[in-house]
Amino acid sequence: MNSSAGPSIDYYKADKCGVCGIKTWYNDEEGFRTCKKGHQDQSFRQTQNAEEEYLARGSQGQTTRMRRDQQEKQTRFLKGIEALKLYLSCYQIILRHQCWELIQKKKFPAELEILVRDLWALRIPRILDRVGSRLRLDDETDDEGEISGPKYYSSQNDSTAGETDAEGVIITKEEKRRELPSLVDSLALLYMAMVVRRCPVSTADLHRWASAEEITFIRPLRLIPADVRRNLSTRWINLLETHHALKPDDINHSLRRMLYHYHRHYELALPPLNYEPLLYRYIRDLALPLQLFTSVQTLATLLSTPFTYPTHKPHKSTHQPLPELSLFSLLTIVIKLYHPFSSPTLYARSVTDPAYLTLDWPTWSSARTRHAQILAYNKPFLPGAQMSVRETDVFNLESDQLDSYMDWYEKTWTAPARTDVSSRDLPQDLIDMFPTEHPVSLGPVQPSRRASDAGKEFGAAEERLERVVGSLQTRPIISDQRAQELGGVPRVGSRYEVFPSEETLGGVAREFHEAVAERAAVSLDVLLKEVRRVEGRLERWRRDRASEKRKAAVGKPGVEDEDEEMGV
């Protein structure tokens, strides 16, 4: 055997040679790739940092490069306390943008941003302390190769569930999940700042604005710069995503948790609800007679309703409702007292009696249906309905609904257009053939669509209110003296109806309760439970007062116990 043989050449397979078409290559002494027949490819040259495996195995080098790129992609994700700080910074961007929209679009005072900032500043240290201490700081990755977010937020078992904090209070697993601020918590925080500022606003207003995207709630990630989002793993990004439309009671549940948190840790309590402006708005929005305003005030004073915000832990047996829900319950009870849904024949005492006028419920129902039809014509979708649209629904949508849905989709889900045309990899002429924005009209300037829709909604609401008020009917008048001579006549409250559950509602009674629940942004079941609770308080007051009058009337025959009429 000849021992002077030259060094062996490492051949590998790659793409075809541009000269001879052969696929066998090797790297020469200068590092250039050369085919087996000696044709040199100067576009490819091995560097000192190139991996030997990539050069020796040819096509397997693509897999190696992909793995290396994936590892580089992993390393840019922040983890532990740094990821938490970046998440809070992103959350703060969203919160500040919501404040800007309320101040600029809804004309709230500029001091609102200062109040929101102070409330948020109180919560940040607590989050960093409680959540940051429980984050896993090791390099454990999930199935996708991404660094894990807060493990206690996942569905796995948490061995620390039910642990006790430094103050001796047991912390459940559910409470740990809620220590990270959610998107709904931002709406609750805005509401708290509005109450402190004494703004006449309700949680239902925030629910409506967020659902209609008048303030940012759906897909707020579009406000976060792409360079910032790249540093957060999927687990953190999911916390900033909107996974479903805002549901009734969502803001109220979040608000109760926030009220408990701020009172427990900072002894902060909100002032009582300024209910008079809200009550006036509720009566007009529900197309009810304005005479109910004083009746609700009287009933609230009668039952000593404080309209204060609860500060105890949610889901406790000592239940205290939110003041807005108490206000809606009082309004519902007054309606059932003075305007029964069965429309029985009741008698008033005089023309100044609040019971002198009565609602014509068929007219109220038809006016409400007409108002809903006008709103549906002006707005193809109800607020938040776009989130529930599926692929199969597209074939049943009208042209205006398709336009409205595509406008909403472009606003919430598409990324803003990049100014660098070359980076789009498409010719500008081709892009101009498919514009996404509305064409510019060359005619006279028209009022904005938002202003036009607001004007139409206001006109439709005024028309409904005028129709309902114009249909009010009068009750026959019988004085107390004449009623005593007749042996008693049915007064207001003698035909009071009780609805313990949704199944007992029917006809116009169900329609009215659904309208109140929709205006309050709560479920119908929650409204009925609170109405029953207030009715129980009213029944106890009636019995106590009747007992006192009977004791005072001992030996005085002929005294009529008029409170027995309120058969709640």
Side-chain angles (χ1 to χ4, degrees):
M1 179 179 297
N2 187 5
S3 60
S4 63
S8 61
I9 300 177
D10 294 331
Y11 291 100
Y12 58 90
K13 296 292 185 180
D15 50 352
K16 292 181 180 181
C17 175
V19 179
C20 61
I22 197 171
K23 296 183 179 180
T24 304
W25 299 84
Y26 69 94
N27 297 322
D28 58 17
E29 296 178 353
E30 297 180 356
F32 290 106
R33 186 171 66 174
T34 306
C35 74
K36 194 173 183 179
K37 293 187 177 182
H39 302 118
Q40 191 180 70
D41 183 9
Q42 296 187 0
S43 64
F44 180 90
R45 186 177 185 180
Q46 178 187 5
T47 62
Q48 294 180 355
N49 296 329
E51 299 181 3
E52 294 181 359
E53 182 181 357
Y54 176 85
L55 299 173
R57 298 189 179 183
S59 60
Q60 292 186 7
Q62 298 179 4
T63 304
T64 304
R65 184 175 66 250
M66 292 175 61
R67 290 176 179 173
R68 184 173 63 251
D69 293 343
Q70 185 178 14
Q71 292 174 358
E72 293 176 356
K73 183 178 180 180
Q74 292 176 9
T75 56
R76 70 166 177 257
F77 290 143
L78 297 179
K79 59 181 180 179
I81 194 66
E82 296 300 326
L84 175 60
K85 290 180 179 179
L86 185 59
Y87 171 80
L88 295 178
S89 299
C90 296
Y91 190 89
Q92 185 168 312
I93 292 175
I94 298 171
L95 190 61
R96 186 173 184 182
H97 189 79
Q98 291 174 334
C99 289
W100 180 87
E101 290 174 322
L102 289 175
I103 295 172
Q104 297 296 325
K105 297 180 181 180
K106 299 299 180 181
K107 306 304 178 183
F108 280 90
E111 294 83 356
L112 180 66
E113 183 176 0
I114 301 176
L115 293 172
V116 173
R117 182 188 62 192
D118 293 342
L119 290 173
W120 173 242
L122 286 175
R123 196 177 180 191
I124 289 178
R126 178 93 185 158
I127 297 174
L128 292 174
D129 178 58
R130 302 286 299 174
V131 180
S133 62
R134 285 198 296 265
L135 286 175
R136 298 181 183 269
L137 303 179
D138 56 359
D139 295 331
E140 182 182 355
T141 58
D142 59 8
D143 296 336
E144 299 177 357
E146 295 180 347
I147 294 177
S148 301
K151 290 293 185 180
Y152 63 86
Y153 202 85
S154 64
S155 58
Q156 68 182 29
N157 292 331
D158 193 342
S159 59
T160 60
E163 67 179 1
T164 304
D165 65 358
E167 300 176 5
V169 179
I170 297 178
I171 304 171
T172 63
K173 181 179 178 181
E174 186 70 17
E175 290 173 337
K176 287 195 220 176
R177 291 174 178 167
R178 291 171 177 170
E179 285 185 352
L180 278 175
S182 64
L183 294 178
V184 182
D185 290 345
S186 67
L187 302 179
L189 197 66
L190 293 173
Y191 177 79
M192 291 177 63
M194 294 176 185
V195 173
V196 173
R197 187 58 178 77
R198 309 299 285 170
C199 299
V201 68
S202 64
T203 55
D205 295 329
L206 283 171
H207 185 283
R208 184 175 66 256
W209 295 338
S211 300
E213 199 58 18
E214 296 182 25
I215 59 175
T216 301
F217 179 77
I218 302 174
R219 190 166 170 78
L221 275 174
R222 65 182 186 271
L223 304 176
I224 310 300
D227 294 339
V228 177
R229 293 199 304 265
R230 293 192 188 101
N231 294 323
L232 288 176
S233 64
T234 306
R235 292 182 183 271
W236 292 101
I237 291 295
N238 285 338
L239 298 179
L240 296 174
E241 282 281 12
T242 308
H243 300 283
H244 57 78
L246 200 59
K247 299 177 182 178
D249 303 315
D250 279 352
I251 299 180
N252 289 337
H253 291 161
S254 177
L255 178 60
R256 294 184 69 92
R257 295 194 301 268
M258 298 278 283
L259 291 171
Y260 169 69
H261 173 84
Y262 279 95
H263 183 265
R264 176 190 170 192
H265 299 294
Y266 313 110
E267 297 184 356
L268 187 150
L270 297 183
L273 179 69
N274 185 19
Y275 75 92
E276 286 87 355
L278 292 177
L279 177 59
Y280 175 76
R281 285 179 50 201
Y282 297 158
I283 292 176
R284 288 184 59 87
D285 292 345
L286 294 171
L288 300 174
L290 193 57
Q291 291 83 354
L292 296 174
F293 187 91
T294 55
S295 300
V296 174
Q297 283 184 315
T298 302
L299 184 58
T301 304
L302 197 70
L303 299 178
S304 302
T305 306
F307 294 108
T308 56
Y309 289 88
T311 56
H312 56 77
K313 189 175 183 179
H315 310 299
K316 285 283 187 179
S317 57
T318 55
H319 174 74
Q320 179 185 352
L322 292 171
E324 291 180 22
L325 184 57
S326 298
L327 184 60
F328 278 107
S329 302
L330 293 174
L331 179 59
T332 303
I333 291 175
V334 168
I335 280 290
K336 293 198 294 182
L337 281 172
Y338 288 94
H339 308 279
F341 302 111
S342 57
S343 300
T345 301
L346 303 177
Y347 295 89
R349 292 181 171 84
S350 64
V351 293
T352 59
D353 191 345
Y356 180 62
L357 296 177
T358 180
L359 268 173
D360 181 31
W361 284 111
T363 302
W364 181 89
S365 178
S366 61
R368 183 172 181 268
T369 303
R370 172 61 180 168
H371 181 257
Q373 292 174 349
I374 295 176
L375 293 183
Y377 179 79
N378 294 329
K379 289 186 175 181
F381 283 100
L382 294 176
Q386 296 92 336
M387 289 285 291
S388 60
V389 173
R390 297 294 180 263
E391 295 85 348
T392 55
D393 300 332
V394 175
F395 300 100
N396 300 324
L397 298 179
E398 302 292 339
S399 59
D400 57 341
Q401 291 179 318
L402 285 173
D403 291 339
S404 176
Y405 180 79
M406 295 305 295
D407 291 343
W408 172 84
Y409 191 92
E410 179 184 9
K411 178 182 177 182
T412 56
W413 290 94
T414 59
R418 291 180 289 182
T419 57
D420 185 9
V421 178
S422 62
S423 63
R424 302 177 187 175
D425 299 327
L426 289 174
Q428 182 63 36
D429 295 339
L430 180 61
I431 295 176
D432 293 339
M433 295 175 62
F434 301 94
T436 59
E437 64 274 1
H438 292 284
V440 179
S441 176
L442 300 179
V445 178
Q446 299 293 332
S448 65
R449 182 176 180 179
R450 185 183 298 272
S452 178
D453 292 344
K456 292 179 181 179
E457 291 180 15
F458 180 78
E462 289 296 311
E463 178 185 353
R464 178 185 61 169
L465 184 60
E466 292 177 0
R467 183 178 176 185
V468 172
V469 174
S471 66
L472 290 176
Q473 301 175 354
T474 60
R475 288 192 173 103
I477 299 176
I478 294 181
S479 63
D480 290 336
Q481 182 179 0
R482 178 57 179 166
Q484 188 175 358
E485 296 174 356
L486 296 175
V489 294
R491 300 286 193 188
V492 170
S494 60
R495 299 293 186 270
Y496 190 85
E497 300 171 286
V498 176
F499 304 102
S501 62
E502 297 184 33
E503 291 74 17
T504 58
L505 290 172
V508 70
R510 170 173 285 275
E511 185 177 358
F512 173 78
H513 283 79
E514 288 178 347
V516 175
E518 179 183 356
R519 182 61 184 85
V522 298
S523 61
L524 183 58
D525 181 64
V526 170
L527 176 65
L528 290 177
K529 288 181 179 179
E530 178 59 20
V531 169
R532 286 298 300 148
R533 190 188 70 85
V534 179
E535 286 174 344
R537 292 178 57 197
L538 183 59
E539 175 68 12
R540 289 191 295 272
W541 172 88
R542 186 194 68 82
R543 291 177 178 175
D544 293 342
R545 190 164 185 265
S547 176
E548 293 175 359
K549 294 190 67 173
R550 281 193 295 268
K551 292 178 181 179
V554 173
K556 298 179 181 179
V559 177
E560 180 186 2
D561 188 3
E562 59 185 21
D563 290 317
E564 291 295 335
E565 298 170 355
M566 299 179 59
V568 180

